[in-house]
Amino acid sequence: MPTSSSSFDDGTSPHVAVVACGGTIASEPDDAGAAPEKTGEDLVAAVPGVSDHARVTAHEVCSQPGFDVRWRDVFATAATVREVVAGGADGVVVTHGTDTLADTAFALDLLTDLDAPVVVTGAQRRLDEPSSDAPANLTLAVRAAANSRFAPGVHVAFDDELHAARDVVKGHSNALSTMTAPAKGPVASFTRAAVQVHREPRRGTEVSALADAFDLENRAAAAERVPEVPVVHSGTGVGAGQLDRALGAEAVGGVVVEGTGLGNVTAALGDRIGEALDGDDSPPVVVAGRPFSGPTEPVYGTPGGAVTLADHGVLFAGDLPAAKARVALALGVAAGLEGDRLAALFEGPARR
């Protein structure tokens, strides 16, 4: 179903707020290595074509490389997104480093429940590099954020495609088409003049449970509530040592286990998970799958099979990869969710 690039038809230009968080899109070269230097205003000024699609304002949150984004940055971004929408923005673009862009987009989807499009974007090549993708991605994100068709929810705009925040992952270390949604595909594709919507934007089932759980006016305190959630990897010959070290670390609120296939682990790791969950105060354990596509579900027995793990009381990540299961578990534990409400964070997407 093709649509125009903007769905505001009252004769006014939509207001899109660009919320800047650093990343390659804001980086400049240096003898010591590239680092974020450009502000949101710098980015908007460098890509004048964005004003063809909306009235754009810029707002600063942080200037972090994508590989060093902190929880306080995520909460500050969520707070700023809420603030600019409350102040009248019709849509929001968040510029961000690609290394953890998918993590932050998913976190924002859980923490903001707004009737305005929120679109996260970035770049694989700096503005000063040949064939930089920064101008095209920023323009694409503004176009998407100016289109009320993509609300509610958070999306990722990259390389002429729009992806749902829950589904998108970084699929290549340096290709311009790095953002992808395995097995699901993009929500929409953009040409110069139009938008082709492929499927309904989707979100998880427990958005409101987290959107109201944190006082974003006190972002530092909100960030301090988020516990450590280690990720333990299963594979050939893996024993229980990783999990022992993870459980012995300070301030651990839960553990994500990246299993194989449908969410199975080695016998040694399965036995240790059973011991870890045998108690009233045991931290939650979420089992995700290593494959980029497909669900986790109990099929196999034996000590490390998912049927046995389910009997131990693990939660399964559904179709979330381990990185996003970690985001959901950390925020869910920080919000005080337990039992079915915590498990609901990992259920498949529901239509809004």
Side-chain angles (χ1 to χ4, degrees):
M1 62 185 82
T3 67
S4 64
S5 61
S6 174
S7 59
F8 293 87
D9 299 320
D10 59 358
T12 63
S13 179
H15 171 202
V16 172
V18 173
V19 175
C21 299
T24 296
I25 194 170
S27 289
E28 294 182 353
D30 188 271
D31 290 342
E37 296 289 345
K38 289 182 172 64
T39 66
E41 289 186 353
D42 293 336
L43 293 177
V44 171
V47 189
V50 297
S51 61
D52 295 340
H53 305 283
R55 178 171 58 88
V56 179
T57 58
H59 308 261
E60 302 300 314
V61 168
C62 61
S63 188
Q64 290 293 113
F67 50 82
D68 194 24
V69 174
R70 305 153 297 186
W71 280 116
R72 65 177 181 265
D73 302 321
V74 173
F75 282 111
T77 305
T80 304
V81 167
R82 287 190 188 181
E83 289 166 4
V84 296
V85 172
D90 298 301
V92 184
V93 169
V94 176
T95 58
H96 196 283
T98 60
D99 278 6
T100 55
L101 188 151
D103 291 1
T104 295
F106 181 47
L108 292 177
D109 204 31
L110 295 172
L111 293 170
T112 62
D113 193 14
L114 303 170
D115 290 325
V118 179
V119 182
V120 188
T121 195
Q124 291 283 75
R125 296 177 186 168
R126 303 185 309 271
L127 277 164
D128 64 289
E129 292 184 287
S131 301
S132 172
D133 55 336
N137 287 344
L138 183 59
T139 302
L140 170 66
V142 169
R143 288 178 64 189
N147 192 329
S148 60
R149 174 71 177 77
F150 300 115
V154 178
H155 294 83
V156 169
F158 230 88
D159 197 31
D160 292 335
E161 292 182 337
L162 194 71
H163 295 278
R166 190 183 196 279
D167 303 330
V168 73
V169 298
K170 182 171 182 176
H172 195 283
S173 60
N174 65 358
L176 301 190
S177 57
T178 181
M179 294 299 164
T180 183
K184 297 182 178 67
V187 167
S189 299
F190 286 66
T191 66
R192 289 178 177 86
V195 183
Q196 183 72 36
V197 178
H198 303 300
R199 61 188 179 94
E200 285 294 315
R202 293 179 160 200
R203 307 180 77 185
T205 58
E206 277 289 300
V207 173
S208 60
L210 292 183
D212 299 326
F214 298 96
D215 177 13
L216 297 185
E217 294 300 318
N218 192 345
R219 301 155 198 182
E224 288 176 1
R225 288 170 54 187
V226 183
E228 284 288 332
V229 175
V231 178
V232 170
H233 171 84
S234 185
T236 302
V238 169
Q242 290 181 76
L243 186 57
D244 286 334
R245 290 188 290 273
L247 292 172
E250 186 177 354
V252 169
V255 177
V256 171
V257 177
E258 185 185 60
T260 53
L262 292 165
N264 309 298
V265 301
T266 62
L269 189 52
D271 287 341
R272 184 66 183 91
I273 289 171
E275 295 171 4
L277 291 174
D278 186 20
D280 294 336
D281 297 325
S282 57
V285 175
V286 175
V287 177
R290 188 192 301 180
F292 271 133
S293 303
T296 49
E297 58 185 22
V299 174
Y300 295 99
T302 77
V307 170
T308 306
L309 298 181
D311 290 341
H312 289 325
V314 306
L315 303 176
F316 288 99
D319 60 355
L320 286 177
K324 287 190 177 177
R326 174 187 166 275
V327 170
L329 181 57
L331 291 176
V333 170
L337 301 186
E338 297 179 337
D340 291 343
R341 296 194 73 199
L342 184 61
L345 290 176
F346 308 96
E347 293 177 0
R351 291 185 183 274
R352 288 289 302 242

